[in-house]
Amino acid sequence: MLQVQGKGVHQCDSGWVPVFVDQDKSISLMSIGFLLEKPDDAVVWRGPKKNALIKQFISDVTWGELDFLIVDMPPGTSDEHISTVESLRPYKPLGAVLVTTPQAVSIGDVRRELTFCKKTGLQVIGIVENMSGFVCPHCLECTNLFSKGGGEELARHAGVPFLGCVPFDPQLTQSLEEGRDFIQEFPKSSAFPALTYIAQQILDRTSPQGS
Amino acid sequence: MLQVQGKGVHQCDSGWVPVFVDQDKSISLMSIGFLLEKPDDAVVWRGPKKNALIKQFISDVTWGELDFLIVDMPPGTSDEHISTVESLRPYKPLGAVLVTTPQAVSIGDVRRELTFCKKTGLQVIGIVENMSGFVCPHCLECTNLFSKGGGEELARHAGVPFLGCVPFDPQLTQSLEEGRDFIQEFPKSSAFPALTYIAQQILDRTSPQGS
């Protein structure tokens, strides 16, 4: 997605230098993918090795001054999640953004994720509903791929903010596939205002002044 | 999906009795969900506890005589996967069916899953491509939600069988949501022949006579 395949992580005196996505170094990135010899290598590791690497990614990378550190996590409530929350605790993380799709099996996962956040004392910034409706490019009629509104209902039920819905847009998936600039190529996509709105909601809810 | 929420697992002299989905007891089921007090409970467990439970699910459940034991796994190559493969080894498992969606990020996951199968000596029965195209119920035009054909290309590239594509059908997701009988309610859905074809492929490739 970010066109960084094959880039390497370098070592300097103060730690690992992350991979920079653009020349301005406005986005820096760290992933286990950069440490594998081949991109198809499977990381057949049990918990303790994964936990050690997660800790290293937080403490041994020369992140420098950051506006935001975003950790993209798989669903679940096990080693990766426990270790990430524990390693970040000294830095007082702003909280978790939980992403669901509208159908019940996914809502169930996120419901358990909410319980996890409560148990570990991690604040929930809010819930996002992804793949929320599909506008047919041929007839412009909207179809719900899954059921609709599950994310919003869950947020209301759990008493956490609902941050918004992202519609399913094949142009967006296509751009991500090919690492192209979605905003520049499809400025009229309905996914664009949806994503901007969600980003603004997150900024509003995490800025120190609350504005 | 199977309408078994709230059912409990009973203990008998020879072990745990699984949950039966229908009166004929043609499908029996075991899940950590049956062992939780509340369905929203998060199982905040590190690897060793998960590994122990996986072993118990295979050895301490009174499965009885089975045609097939199907283990539904999340993506990944860590504790759950290692423990499942290790626990099943004495029973000579038929192999793994790998399910992907067509886009590159998902294909990448399955490519690493293929490496995992190779490393652990698990045979690959084949690859299935899910969410493969969407037929608009309004205009009947087909749109690729993601890119198309990634699963088949991966299978060819890896030299493993390609078992087929399942189109995205909102009627199928709806039926799964509500635990209704999809085959009876939507016998004309294009997902139905697709799933039947894949099931037949798997039977053909795993039966002792190869027929």
Side-chain angles (χ1 to χ4, degrees):
Chain A
M1 290 181 196
L2 296 170
Q3 300 279 48
V4 289
Q5 296 105 314
K7 290 210 183 176
V9 166
H10 301 284
Q11 190 92 31
C12 73
D13 286 348
S14 44
W16 279 332
V17 181
V19 167
F20 297 104
V21 172
D22 50 359
Q23 288 204 322
D24 301 340
K25 300 190 174 183
S26 64
I27 301 178
S28 50
L29 201 69
M30 182 51 95
S31 162
I32 195 168
F34 298 130
L35 307 177
L36 302 177
E37 273 190 39
K38 285 175 291 179
D40 298 354
D41 277 356
V43 184
V44 186
W45 286 3
R46 289 188 180 274
K49 279 183 84 174
K50 290 193 294 188
N51 300 336
L53 190 67
I54 288 169
K55 286 199 184 90
Q56 278 192 286
F57 276 1
I58 292 168
S59 58
D60 297 357
V61 172
T62 59
W63 287 115
E65 192 94 4
L66 293 179
D67 293 321
F68 290 97
L69 174 75
I70 300 170
V71 185
D72 181 25
M73 304 282 293
T77 57
S78 190
D79 280 294
E80 301 86 343
H81 306 80
I82 303 171
S83 296
T84 304
V85 170
E86 280 179 0
S87 307
L88 286 174
R89 194 163 287 143
Y91 304 97
K92 298 192 176 47
L94 294 167
V97 174
L98 306 182
V99 182
T100 186
T101 49
Q103 77 273 40
V105 278
S106 175
I107 296 285
D109 277 351
V110 173
R111 198 176 279 139
R112 285 184 283 275
E113 217 72 67
L114 282 166
T115 311
F116 173 83
C117 290
K118 212 170 176 182
K119 274 192 186 175
T120 55
L122 184 66
Q123 207 204 311
V124 175
I125 298 170
I127 293 176
V128 172
E129 186 177 297
N130 197 11
M131 299 198 190
S132 184
F134 170 72
V135 180
C136 174
H138 303 284
C139 69
L140 302 179
E141 288 278 349
C142 184
T143 308
N144 293 326
L145 297 174
F146 307 102
S147 52
K148 170 94 183 156
E152 191 162 5
E153 203 184 305
L154 174 62
R156 198 169 38 237
H157 193 255
V160 300
F162 181 65
L163 303 173
C165 295
V166 185
F168 196 107
D169 179 352
Q171 292 172 329
L172 175 56
T173 54
Q174 195 68 28
S175 298
L176 291 174
E177 288 278 284
E178 296 165 9
R180 286 181 355 233
D181 189 331
F182 170 66
I183 298 171
Q184 207 157 40
E185 294 200 26
F186 303 105
K188 287 183 181 162
S189 161
S190 59
F192 182 44
L195 290 166
T196 310
Y197 175 79
I198 292 166
Q200 191 57 52
Q201 289 270 315
I202 295 174
L203 284 173
D204 288 350
R205 289 170 190 283
T206 54
S207 69
Q209 294 81 21
S211 66
Chain B
M1 287 181 196
L2 296 170
Q3 299 280 46
V4 289
Q5 296 104 315
K7 290 210 183 177
V9 166
H10 300 285
Q11 189 90 34
C12 72
D13 286 349
S14 43
W16 279 332
V17 182
V19 167
F20 297 104
V21 173
D22 50 358
Q23 289 204 323
D24 300 342
K25 301 188 175 182
S26 64
I27 301 180
S28 49
L29 202 68
M30 182 51 95
S31 162
I32 196 168
F34 298 130
L35 307 177
L36 301 178
E37 274 190 38
K38 285 176 291 178
D40 298 353
D41 278 356
V43 184
V44 186
W45 287 3
R46 288 190 180 272
K49 280 183 83 173
K50 291 193 292 189
N51 299 335
L53 191 67
I54 289 169
K55 287 200 182 89
Q56 277 193 287
F57 275 1
I58 290 167
S59 57
D60 297 358
V61 172
T62 59
W63 288 116
E65 191 94 5
L66 293 178
D67 295 322
F68 290 97
L69 175 74
I70 301 171
V71 184
D72 181 24
M73 304 283 291
T77 56
S78 188
D79 280 293
E80 301 85 343
H81 307 80
I82 303 170
S83 295
T84 304
V85 170
E86 280 179 359
S87 306
L88 287 174
R89 194 164 286 143
Y91 304 97
K92 299 192 173 50
L94 293 166
V97 174
L98 306 182
V99 181
T100 186
T101 48
Q103 77 273 41
V105 277
S106 175
I107 297 283
D109 277 350
V110 172
R111 195 176 281 139
R112 285 183 284 273
E113 216 73 66
L114 282 165
T115 311
F116 173 84
C117 290
K118 210 171 178 182
K119 273 192 187 177
T120 57
L122 184 66
Q123 207 204 311
V124 175
I125 298 169
I127 292 175
V128 171
E129 185 177 296
N130 197 11
M131 301 197 187
S132 183
F134 171 72
V135 180
C136 175
H138 303 284
C139 69
L140 302 179
E141 288 279 347
C142 184
T143 308
N144 293 327
L145 296 175
F146 307 102
S147 52
K148 172 92 183 158
E152 190 162 5
E153 202 183 306
L154 174 62
R156 197 172 36 241
H157 193 254
V160 301
F162 181 66
L163 302 174
C165 294
V166 184
F168 196 106
D169 180 352
Q171 293 172 329
L172 176 56
T173 53
Q174 194 69 27
S175 300
L176 291 175
E177 287 278 284
E178 297 164 9
R180 284 174 5 227
D181 188 331
F182 170 68
I183 298 172
Q184 208 156 39
E185 293 199 26
F186 304 104
K188 287 182 181 164
S189 160
S190 60
F192 183 44
L195 289 166
T196 312
Y197 175 79
I198 291 166
Q200 191 57 54
Q201 289 270 314
I202 293 174
L203 283 173
D204 288 351
R205 289 171 191 284
T206 54
S207 70
Q209 293 81 24
S211 68

